[in-house]
Amino acid sequence: MHAYDSLYIGGEWTRAGGDGVIDVVSPADEETIGAAPLASTADVDRAVTAARRALRTPEWAGLTPEQRAGVLERFADELEKNQADRAALTSKQNGMPIAVAIAAEGTAPPGLLRYYAALARATPLEERRPRLDGAGETVVRREPVGVVAAIVPWNFPQTLTAFKLAPALAAGCTVVLKPAPETTLDALELAAAAERAGLPAGVLNVVTGGADVGEYLVAHPGVNKVAFTGSTAAGRKIGEVCGRLVRPVTLELGGKSAAIVLDDADLTATVQGLATCSLLNTGQTCYLSTRILAPRSRYDEVVAAVAGLAGALTVGDPLDPDTHVGPLVSSRQRDRVESYIAAGKAEGGAVVTGGGRPDRDKGWFVQPTVFANVDNDATIAREEIFGPVLAVISYDDLDHAVALANASDYGLGGTIWTSDAEKGLDLARRVETGSIGVNFFDLDAGAPFGGVKSSGIGRELGPEGLSAYFQLKSIYLRGTSA
């Protein structure tokens, strides 16, 4: 039982202003595994005040980039000491298969801190440019944007926190982190690691709660930037608030990405790749290729191969290393996924595997499900399901495949499957998306990640992810005459 009675604000563990409690329930057995205090708006005020104060203290504001990099590396050291425990904690909270959690939740966060520590050392805070009119020069400064409200979802909580926290700290910002209620425990563990690493007081603050706490934080007058990962619906509301306040915002939102299987694809290799590119974390991943576009000439073959893949995956205890598909994060999420399965059937889709619940006494499980005979305009082809449900859609030629891939409100991920990598690259260039893989999909920490259309605004990761936490100042200089 992981029980916390305090929030982390201003470098101290402090009691919440109210007496509310967040109970964290295991999606695998429906038992309570921990609890955390529920933050009040007064707690958010205290957290933002602490973050603003830390922006001006010599312990943080006075550090050189080299010194800040050292702080990030000490933080990474602390996270590495208990990375197996943190990975297991995520699995217990959200049902993520432990094999995925070890890499995504255990290894990735300290790796991102080290990457941005190196970028902090390599990124000059000032550069001098000669003026185009020849009359002097301009000093262009990079300065921290200020207090960052980082709001993260439950599906990859530690990794998506690091997407925001690592570059924000590298730039010299301070952070108020609001985790999802389902994955509150790991956020408090992260705060404990930050304390052990010696982060100056107020540089990282953690407040807990639901949408109301997040809304209050987003609109808080002491916040300078918002970084959010979550649903498109919530992102639109946040974007509206930040637009009205003229506040910088990064939004990484939903997806309904396409996997385009070419007629020359090796189906054995393709379906092996789709196991992670389309069903990673029980389908609870934003960039997944959940629309499988298959050439009409090989449609039945592709359907059979994808159904064989889904039907062979091991569904079970997320802490078992042999599990491929765990439970969905909550009963509400299972209801949502099952409602989409029902819609797929009602609109004429044919379930070729799955479609129900596995034979388990407890837990919020759904069988990996594959639909055939799906039109690209069907509900299950248009809307983000966020569960282990795939739709196989036929196309006539490559122009038709690209048109189908682009006929979506979203544009976050995608994949191309072919024996000709250069042909795949040419096709990838035509797909309207923020990222796409040829014969695989795996985020690259050194390259920007984000979406187009309803999949978001801005980019995380890479040097571009660091740039998002700087504001630029131009200082015009002209020498004085003797």
Side-chain angles (χ1 to χ4, degrees):
M1 184 80 168
H2 298 263
Y4 296 86
D5 60 6
S6 299
L7 304 171
Y8 188 68
I9 296 175
E12 297 180 348
W13 294 95
T14 177
R15 295 284 183 151
D19 56 4
V21 174
I22 298 173
D23 289 320
V24 180
V25 178
S26 164
D29 61 15
E30 305 175 39
E31 299 292 332
T32 299
I33 59 171
L38 179 63
S40 66
T41 55
D43 296 319
V44 175
D45 291 339
R46 291 192 297 120
V48 173
T49 298
R52 295 212 66 78
R53 186 183 306 116
L55 280 175
R56 300 186 295 272
T57 61
E59 290 82 7
W60 186 243
L63 298 185
T64 65
E66 175 72 28
Q67 290 169 327
R68 275 203 307 275
V71 173
L72 267 67
E73 288 167 342
R74 290 196 299 274
F75 195 0
D77 290 342
E78 288 300 324
L79 289 177
E80 285 175 338
K81 290 176 183 177
N82 69 345
Q83 62 184 25
D85 291 338
R86 287 186 299 99
L89 183 56
T90 294
S91 291
K92 292 174 184 176
Q93 292 176 109
N94 71 1
M96 179 184 292
I98 190 64
V100 176
I102 288 170
E105 298 292 282
T107 304
L112 285 167
L113 285 166
R114 294 190 188 284
Y115 171 72
Y116 280 105
L119 272 185
R121 290 190 174 97
T123 303
L125 296 184
E126 286 190 356
E127 61 176 283
R128 290 180 175 237
R129 302 177 186 175
R131 288 177 58 94
L132 294 182
D133 61 9
E137 61 184 349
T138 299
V139 177
V140 179
R141 281 184 52 81
R142 294 181 177 89
E143 298 179 347
V145 72
V147 174
V148 176
I151 302 176
V152 298
W154 45 259
N155 60 329
F156 287 88
Q158 291 275 295
T159 293
L160 294 173
T161 294
F163 276 23
K164 299 156 182 57
L165 183 60
L169 298 185
C173 298
T174 58
V175 176
V176 179
L177 170 65
K178 208 290 286 184
E182 296 88 347
T183 49
T184 295
L185 306 178
D186 64 281
L188 295 171
E189 284 291 321
L190 184 82
E195 182 182 41
R196 294 192 300 271
L199 261 70
V203 171
L204 171 63
N205 310 271
V206 179
V207 294
T208 58
D212 55 338
V213 173
E215 289 168 2
Y216 186 78
L217 176 60
V218 164
H220 199 286
V223 167
N224 301 106
K225 174 183 169 66
V226 175
F228 171 79
T229 299
S231 72
T232 295
R236 285 195 173 101
K237 293 179 181 178
I238 291 170
E240 288 174 2
V241 172
C242 290
R244 175 171 51 81
L245 296 174
V246 197
R247 177 167 295 170
V249 61
T250 300
L251 301 172
E252 196 270 280
L253 308 176
K256 193 66 184 180
S257 303
I260 304 178
V261 181
L262 273 60
D263 57 9
D264 65 354
D266 178 337
L267 279 190
T268 300
T270 296
V271 297
Q272 288 175 348
L274 289 175
T276 54
C277 296
S278 296
L279 290 166
L280 181 70
N281 194 22
T282 317
Q284 297 173 127
T285 306
C286 53
Y287 59 70
L288 293 181
S289 297
T290 53
R291 288 184 294 149
I292 314 298
L293 307 186
R296 202 173 296 279
S297 61
R298 300 187 71 185
Y299 184 77
D300 291 343
E301 187 183 359
V302 172
V303 168
V306 174
L309 155 72
L313 296 177
T314 300
V315 180
D317 180 357
L319 294 177
D320 185 338
D322 293 329
T323 291
H324 299 115
V325 176
L328 296 168
V329 70
S330 64
S331 60
R332 184 175 72 170
Q333 184 66 13
R334 182 176 63 179
D335 291 344
R336 170 186 167 87
V337 171
E338 290 180 332
S339 73
Y340 276 108
I341 293 173
K345 294 176 181 177
E347 294 178 13
V351 174
V352 291
T353 191
R357 299 179 182 181
D359 185 17
R360 299 183 67 87
D361 293 334
K362 287 188 175 182
W364 299 309
F365 293 87
V366 171
Q367 293 171 329
T369 300
V370 177
F371 277 91
N373 303 331
V374 178
D375 187 271
N376 202 53
D377 291 328
T379 300
I380 61 171
R382 292 195 327 269
E383 298 183 12
E384 184 178 42
I385 299 173
F386 228 59
V389 180
L390 306 180
V392 187
I393 301 164
S394 63
Y395 68 83
D396 298 323
D397 54 29
L398 292 186
D399 288 342
H400 187 210
V402 171
L404 290 173
N406 291 340
S408 173
D409 292 336
Y410 299 102
L412 186 58
T415 48
I416 309 290
W417 302 90
T418 175
S419 60
D420 185 340
E422 286 302 314
K423 183 178 180 181
L425 177 59
D426 287 341
L427 197 63
R429 292 186 176 111
R430 299 172 60 190
V431 179
E432 297 167 356
T433 186
S435 60
I436 189 167
V438 178
N439 294 325
F440 85 115
F441 189 101
D442 193 14
L443 299 189
D444 175 8
F449 173 70
V452 299
K453 299 189 281 190
S454 293
S455 288
I457 296 172
R459 294 295 182 267
E460 297 183 303
L461 301 181
E464 295 81 2
L466 178 60
S467 297
Y469 293 93
F470 284 124
Q471 55 189 357
L472 300 177
K473 176 189 290 182
S474 293
I475 304 173
Y476 308 124
L477 288 180
R478 181 175 292 171
T480 57
S481 301

